[in-house]
Amino acid sequence: MNSVEGLLTQIRGLSSTASDVLSLQNVLKQADESLHAESTRLLPFLDQLDPSKHSLGYLYFLEACTAGPVTTESASSFVLIIARFISSCVAEQIRLAPDKFISVCKRFKDQVLLLEEPLRGVAPMLTAVRKLQSSTEHLTTLHPEFLLLCLLAKCYKTGLSILEEDIFEVDQPRDLYLYCYYGGMICIGQKCFRKALELLHNVVTAPMSTINAIAVEAYKKYILVSLIHHGQLSTSLPKYASGVAQRNLKSLCLSYMELANSYNNGKIADLETYVQANMEKFGSDNNLGLVKQVVSSIYKRNIQRLTQTYLTLSLQDIANTVQLNSPKEAEMHVLQMIQDGEIYATINQKDGMVRFVEDPELYKTCEMIEHIDLSIQRLMTLSNKLTVMDELISCDPLYLGKAGRERQRFDFDDFDSVPQRFNI
Amino acid sequence: MDGIEGASNPTMEEMQANGTEGVDGLPLTSTSTRKNRPIVSGEPLDIEAYAGLYTGRTKIKRLMFIANHCDNPGMQLEALRMAYDEIKKGENTHLYREVVQKIDGRLGPNYAMDAAWGSTIERKAEQRKEKLESELNAYRTNLIKESIRMGYNDFGDFYYAHGALGDAFKSYVRTRDYCTTSKHIIQMCLNAILVSIEMVQFSNVTSYVSKAEQTPEALDPPIVAKLCCAAGLAHLEAKKYKLAARKFLEVGPELGNSYSEVIAPQDVATYGGLCALASFDRTELKNKVIDNINFRDFLELVPEVRELINDFYSSHYASCLEYLGNLKSNLMLDIHLYDHVETLYDQIRNKALIQYTLPFVSVDMRMMADAFKTSVVGLEKELEALITDNQIQARIDSHNKILYARHADQRNATFQRVLQTGNEFDQEVRAMLLRSSLLKYDYNLRASRKH
């Protein structure tokens, strides 16, 4: 008990300036074990600390408190405490002990899920993510946790706001895989298929030394979204995808590849029979909704092809060509596509004719010019970033050592031994 | 092979006797001495006249092909009868048995199995073979190149006459080592080409044609013409219609009847004309076919083909397609062309449709359907296929049945492409930076483990 009291006094005393906080950190590290030993009795001491001033200390105490198994009663009390802590803590202090913070937040997530109220966790987790990130380009372990809560709570819009930011730094590969996978699912939920495809593509082509389940599930969704968005699936992964992925992914997702083949053949009846036959398989992967969207997208594809050939076409003919049952159904489909902006047409109900028109976009408006200008700026910044990164790597001693060992040797001088390490 | 060439001459007089006036009162051209009914025409095939164009094994093969593929039993029996007569003149017992089986006694006792003839031929064949073998061995021991070459050549002729085509080919090819002059090489090549065509192995044909063309000496015009025909046939089999057309159009008038064991000048005209029509564009068609003086002589032999090419060029599509329809049944009986007829016809029809729509901004589909003698619905389907294939730049107004030409808007297309490329670049660079960050992490992890 005394040690705890003593610790509390030290925390209160050493939390004012940055150097004090650093020495406090050392003290806390040494005291960590003793804290864990008394985890069950630490709860009342928390009231003596102020999370906004003594964030680091509070964090250590909190982490020790929550170290035990989670039960429903403790969960409800802890959820409140942790939520309050997250909203009031100081970012610089908690960044000194990131793993502790991460474990506390993970516990928080578990408790919220145990109480079956994921919505309670969404906002606090968002704050936690923002506080832990060193910059908006930094991916932390909390990102996928946050997205998971969003998915379970079905508030996709909040998830989307995080996804809008570009990520360039990653702590752990597993974080990235999960982040992109959950992110893809959120985008699918919001019907932003382009962004979903991009995220899933990142998972599938990420460097990995062994095949993992996240990549397999992501590839299944990737196939389906690719069919919905593009109407086709490129059969081979790009060259930069890892070797394990290129070799193994297709064989692990055979029924989906079959679905893609059947889709490409264009016969709607075959596609539907195949889907019926494999219903449970798709259902067990939780992809049934997507598969149904794939089937409906084949009608859209066929109607779009008609716009290339015809200026006007009767609804009956559309129904016949696209293998729909009646002109009424054809009208519904065409109407839906016009509303979604997928084709440009007008329906003349008196004659039962549809008139296809060209894309009315003339590329002459101010908004379009602005859009193009912004794109150009963005791409220029991106290019600069790429150049900067290239220069950094060229100066990296590890890279130079490796490149030096494997460089071409054209002259006697080249055979001088290259220093394995630069001792600067 | 040299002795058979003379056989075509008596049939020429035969054909002259058939009809003294030309078709439709066509004036005589000074170059052709034959004024006779064209053999390849819309009327049912005159088998005697047709068979008269050919000699040797190809005559028999063609007659049997006609018998197999013809619906008319009268024509079938006629063909089989002529085949029987021709085989009896030769020494091929294998083909003899085949023909007798096909005839099945329908032509009476004269055309039944003559076993005696069969066994006489086979005995003679054995004797001849032994003689040839002993002669060849003698020559081989004496090591006289010319005699060995003649020996192998005789063997080749022997095997060919008896229908053992594989052995014939091998024997002819063996003469290669003993050829001393270019004439020998050319003879060997021509023999090999002939046997390969009979065996339907056209890859050999192409290689031997190029071998023959590579000889340093200048070749006689008839031989050049023969090689062009053989090359054309090879391309036809390989479905390379444009190359086939070019080869057939290069055949000079010196061909005459000299290659009757493979091909007749009528065939050169038909194959060349149809392939050209299916694969050439308008300028090439005018330059190489219509203005081609040499080829004009060949086209005289098949006036219907000449007419249909002219109709196509002058946009009289209805009559052009009518001629094609009439010729079809006879062309299906041709041993080289029969499996290409459908493809060629489709290509010609598509070209006609495309050519019709090319000069117009809008086309009334009802008039077009009349011009092509088809229904509006059928025409719409055909046009849809061509538009989807990007061969016609147009759109169909299905309500009013009008076809409108459509020219792609370059400016819009450029803007769209620009924006799309920008997006792709954006995505790819971001993905690259992300991947490089992962790789760096991985590398650092491994490096830190090492220390």
Side-chain angles (χ1 to χ4, degrees):
Chain A
M1 269 312 185
N2 285 334
S3 52
V4 178
E5 292 282 341
L7 208 49
L8 282 174
T9 346
Q10 281 192 308
I11 291 174
R12 278 195 288 262
L14 289 173
S15 294
S16 29
T17 67
S19 46
D20 283 345
V21 172
L22 282 173
S23 41
L24 177 62
Q25 190 183 23
N26 291 330
V27 169
L28 283 171
K29 275 193 201 151
Q30 286 159 356
D32 199 29
E33 272 193 45
S34 56
L35 274 179
H36 272 272
E38 302 187 30
S39 59
T40 45
R41 288 175 288 171
L42 286 175
L43 194 53
F45 289 102
L46 279 178
D47 298 329
Q48 298 182 25
L49 289 173
D50 181 3
S52 50
K53 286 194 225 129
H54 315 127
S55 305
L56 192 57
Y58 200 95
L59 179 60
Y60 269 81
F61 267 78
L62 198 54
E63 203 261 330
C65 286
T66 52
V70 178
T71 61
T72 333
E73 322 84 42
S74 62
S76 35
S77 56
F78 271 122
V79 161
L80 284 170
I81 298 176
I82 299 179
R84 216 178 298 136
F85 168 66
I86 292 177
S87 54
S88 50
C89 68
V90 175
E92 293 82 21
Q93 287 200 20
I94 55 165
R95 280 194 207 138
L96 293 172
D99 3 292
K100 296 245 176 248
F101 188 65
I102 288 174
S103 71
V104 164
C105 291
K106 279 200 177 157
R107 289 265 150 184
F108 175 64
K109 178 201 85 178
D110 293 335
Q111 288 161 355
V112 156
L113 288 178
L114 190 63
L115 294 173
E116 290 181 12
E117 293 171 3
L119 198 51
R120 280 175 76 177
V122 171
M125 197 57 96
L126 182 56
T127 340
V129 162
R130 291 263 175 258
K131 289 199 177 162
L132 189 57
Q133 275 185 320
S134 46
S135 74
T136 51
E137 296 173 0
H138 180 215
L139 184 76
T140 62
T141 323
L142 290 181
H143 276 83
E145 307 291 333
F146 167 67
L147 287 180
L148 180 61
L149 282 175
C150 285
L151 269 174
L152 290 170
K154 297 209 195 307
C155 48
Y156 299 133
K157 287 234 170 65
T158 348
L160 263 186
S161 62
I162 276 273
L163 286 170
E164 305 267 308
E165 296 161 4
D166 299 331
I167 300 289
F168 293 118
E169 278 174 58
V170 176
D171 279 339
Q172 284 257 6
R174 186 164 173 277
D175 297 339
L176 181 68
Y177 304 152
L178 278 175
Y179 171 78
C180 287
Y181 179 63
Y182 292 142
M185 286 170 72
I186 288 182
C187 290
I188 293 175
Q190 288 290 99
K191 300 225 187 293
C192 302
F193 290 118
R194 199 187 61 80
K195 188 135 181 84
L197 211 54
E198 186 187 333
L199 286 165
L200 292 170
H201 185 76
N202 278 342
V203 185
V204 167
T205 55
M208 52 179 97
S209 47
T210 51
I211 198 83
N212 55 53
I214 307 174
V216 174
E217 292 303 313
Y219 192 59
K220 291 181 185 169
K221 293 205 162 52
Y222 177 75
I223 295 178
L224 294 173
V225 175
S226 177
L227 287 176
I228 295 176
H229 187 65
H230 286 311
Q232 59 188 11
L233 175 71
S234 63
T235 43
S236 59
L237 291 171
K239 272 197 297 189
Y240 47 78
S242 65
V244 273
Q246 283 181 356
R247 284 192 293 272
N248 298 331
L249 270 181
K250 282 200 202 140
S251 45
L252 290 167
C253 309
L254 273 177
S255 43
Y256 292 83
M257 300 298 296
E258 280 296 318
L259 186 70
N261 282 339
S262 168
Y263 185 97
N264 277 333
N265 290 338
K267 299 213 182 50
I268 300 182
D270 292 346
L271 188 67
E272 286 186 345
T273 35
Y274 184 79
V275 168
Q276 283 298 113
N278 287 314
M279 274 287 214
E280 326 95 51
K281 188 138 200 311
F282 294 141
S284 65
D285 290 333
N286 286 331
N287 284 331
L288 210 49
L290 267 180
V291 171
K292 292 202 177 120
Q293 287 190 43
V294 168
V295 174
S296 67
S297 80
I298 202 174
Y299 292 110
K300 288 192 200 167
R301 236 12 88 217
N302 289 345
I303 295 181
Q304 266 174 340
R305 222 175 297 145
L306 286 175
T307 62
Q308 294 302 314
T309 334
Y310 286 94
L311 264 182
T312 62
L313 194 58
S314 70
L315 285 169
Q316 181 65 48
D317 284 331
I318 295 183
N320 290 341
T321 329
V322 181
Q323 294 163 42
L324 287 168
N325 290 332
S326 70
K328 264 279 162 235
E329 262 190 55
E331 191 178 335
M332 296 311 304
H333 273 266
V334 172
L335 194 58
Q336 187 64 40
M337 285 175 80
I338 298 176
Q339 279 177 340
D340 291 338
E342 288 164 10
I343 59 175
Y344 303 99
T346 53
I347 304 182
N348 183 337
Q349 285 192 326
K350 190 169 75 139
D351 300 330
M353 280 282 165
V354 178
R355 185 177 188 83
F356 298 116
V357 293
E358 295 281 345
D359 180 359
E361 176 63 65
L362 283 176
Y363 299 98
K364 284 185 191 163
T365 59
C366 287
E367 290 90 21
M368 182 51 76
I369 307 272
E370 231 180 274
H371 175 66
I372 296 180
D373 194 40
L374 282 174
S375 303
I376 295 179
Q377 306 280 11
R378 183 183 157 78
L379 290 179
M380 274 166 43
T381 26
L382 207 57
S383 249
N384 283 338
K385 209 181 180 68
L386 195 59
T387 328
V388 162
M389 177 171 259
D390 190 36
E391 284 174 13
L392 271 176
I393 293 185
S394 329
C395 307
D396 187 296
L398 288 167
Y399 168 76
L400 284 171
K402 191 164 192 325
R405 254 177 280 143
E406 293 173 6
R407 72 188 201 281
Q408 308 259 22
R409 295 167 202 241
F410 294 116
D411 204 4
F412 284 125
D413 297 341
D414 290 339
F415 283 92
D416 288 348
S417 60
V418 178
Q420 300 290 334
R421 262 208 196 134
F422 277 77
N423 297 317
I424 299 174
Chain B
M1 295 288 112
D2 294 318
I4 302 180
E5 266 173 60
S8 56
N9 285 325
T11 49
M12 258 168 64
E13 275 111 35
E14 214 176 28
M15 286 191 295
Q16 269 183 324
N18 265 342
T20 44
E21 75 284 301
V23 176
D24 296 334
L26 282 174
L28 289 175
T29 58
S30 51
T31 48
S32 83
T33 52
R34 295 194 298 278
K35 31 191 200 292
N36 43 24
R37 286 163 58 222
I39 292 164
V40 180
S41 76
E43 297 147 22
L45 194 61
D46 182 349
I47 300 196
E48 269 195 53
Y50 180 74
L53 293 171
Y54 305 101
T55 54
R57 193 190 154 86
T58 188
K59 182 171 176 176
I60 305 170
K61 276 292 187 188
R62 281 171 190 261
L63 286 168
M64 290 183 68
F65 185 85
I66 293 175
N68 284 340
H69 285 81
C70 187
D71 294 326
N72 185 339
M75 282 173 69
Q76 249 184 3
L77 289 176
E78 176 79 8
L80 287 171
R81 187 182 61 80
M82 297 195 61
Y84 186 97
D85 290 334
E86 192 65 28
I87 296 178
K88 262 271 175 90
K89 292 185 207 149
E91 297 170 350
N92 195 334
T93 49
H94 187 74
L95 278 178
Y96 180 72
R97 274 192 281 276
E98 243 187 82
V99 135
V100 170
Q101 214 179 17
K102 287 262 165 57
I103 293 180
D104 216 13
R106 288 178 284 174
L107 287 171
N110 283 340
Y111 290 94
M113 181 70 160
D114 192 350
W117 180 84
S119 38
T120 332
I121 294 286
E122 274 168 18
R123 236 181 313 119
K124 271 202 250 169
E126 275 301 312
Q127 290 170 346
R128 175 130 177 90
K129 185 168 175 188
E130 280 170 25
K131 180 160 167 265
L132 283 176
E133 263 184 49
S134 54
E135 277 179 10
L136 188 62
N137 285 331
Y139 296 145
R140 278 224 288 255
T141 40
N142 288 337
L143 282 180
I144 310 170
K145 262 197 165 181
E146 181 57 23
S147 327
I148 301 179
R149 190 188 71 83
M150 297 286 310
Y152 273 118
N153 234 352
D154 291 339
F155 245 116
D157 292 342
F158 168 77
Y159 279 130
Y160 183 74
H162 284 268
L165 294 175
D167 296 323
F169 185 73
K170 276 190 221 140
S171 307
Y172 284 130
V173 171
R174 281 224 191 93
T175 66
R176 180 163 160 206
D177 301 326
Y178 307 100
C179 292
T180 42
T181 68
S182 352
K183 252 186 135 66
H184 295 163
I185 298 181
I186 300 217
Q187 189 186 21
M188 177 219 43
C189 289
L190 283 175
N191 288 336
I193 291 172
L194 180 61
V195 180
S196 306
I197 293 181
E198 286 297 316
M199 285 201 290
V200 198
Q201 280 178 6
F202 282 94
S203 48
N204 287 340
V205 173
T206 351
S207 53
Y208 280 100
V209 164
S210 43
K211 222 176 282 215
E213 280 170 356
Q214 276 163 12
T215 54
E217 274 181 29
L219 300 169
D220 291 337
I223 298 187
V224 171
K226 285 189 200 181
L227 292 174
C228 280
C229 290
L233 272 180
H235 286 307
L236 180 64
E237 280 305 308
K239 296 199 199 293
K240 298 199 181 121
Y241 300 123
K242 199 161 196 171
L243 295 172
R246 288 205 185 126
K247 277 289 169 188
F248 282 124
L249 292 168
E250 276 170 22
V251 174
E254 311 82 23
L255 178 72
N257 279 327
S258 57
Y259 215 20
S260 55
E261 58 262 20
V262 172
I263 196 174
Q266 280 85 345
D267 292 336
V268 172
T270 323
Y271 298 168
L274 286 179
C275 290
L277 205 52
S279 55
F280 283 178
D281 62 11
R282 237 176 120 77
T283 26
E284 226 181 335
L285 193 67
K286 176 121 175 74
N287 292 339
K288 292 216 179 131
V289 180
I290 299 181
D291 291 345
N292 185 340
I293 311 177
N294 287 338
F295 201 66
R296 204 175 288 168
D297 298 335
F298 284 109
L299 279 178
E300 292 299 320
L301 302 169
V302 279
E304 293 206 7
V305 175
R306 184 195 61 206
E307 286 309 307
L308 82 87
I309 293 180
N310 283 332
D311 279 341
F312 185 90
Y313 189 73
S314 53
S315 308
H316 294 125
Y317 300 111
S319 76
C320 172
L321 292 174
E322 199 183 320
Y323 276 121
L324 273 181
N326 288 341
L327 282 177
K328 189 169 183 178
S329 50
N330 283 345
L331 289 178
M332 292 295 265
L333 295 175
D334 182 292
I335 199 172
H336 290 295
L337 199 60
Y338 74 104
D339 49 358
H340 302 282
V341 170
E342 289 292 349
T343 333
L344 284 172
Y345 271 43
D346 282 338
Q347 284 187 1
I348 295 177
R349 193 183 167 82
N350 285 347
K351 272 194 132 56
L353 287 169
I354 297 171
Q355 200 175 271
Y356 186 97
T357 58
L358 213 49
F360 297 111
V361 165
S362 65
V363 175
D364 185 350
M365 280 165 61
R366 290 179 205 100
M367 284 180 56
M368 191 171 170
D370 275 337
F372 282 88
K373 297 269 178 356
T374 171
S375 66
V376 179
V377 177
L379 182 68
E380 196 172 318
K381 290 257 168 302
E382 285 185 82
L383 286 174
E384 183 184 340
L386 285 174
I387 295 176
T388 322
D389 229 4
N390 225 3
Q391 302 215 29
I392 299 185
Q393 313 294 330
R395 306 266 286 286
I396 301 177
D397 181 346
S398 180
H399 186 53
N400 301 323
K401 301 292 178 210
I402 301 185
L403 184 75
Y404 287 101
R406 169 229 212 177
H407 301 288
D409 189 341
Q410 294 282 26
R411 183 175 175 280
N412 276 5
T414 313
F415 269 102
Q416 274 175 344
R417 250 201 333 272
V418 160
L419 285 173
Q420 196 186 344
T421 316
N423 280 337
E424 280 171 14
F425 179 76
D426 188 28
Q427 256 183 285
E428 292 197 5
V429 170
R430 274 187 292 124
M432 259 204 295
L433 289 171
L434 199 54
R435 277 197 301 277
S436 68
S437 148
L438 279 178
L439 285 170
K440 198 155 68 157
Y441 167 83
D442 204 29
Y443 195 78
N444 287 338
L445 196 63
R446 269 189 265 151
S448 63
R449 275 201 213 126
K450 261 192 248 165
H451 301 314

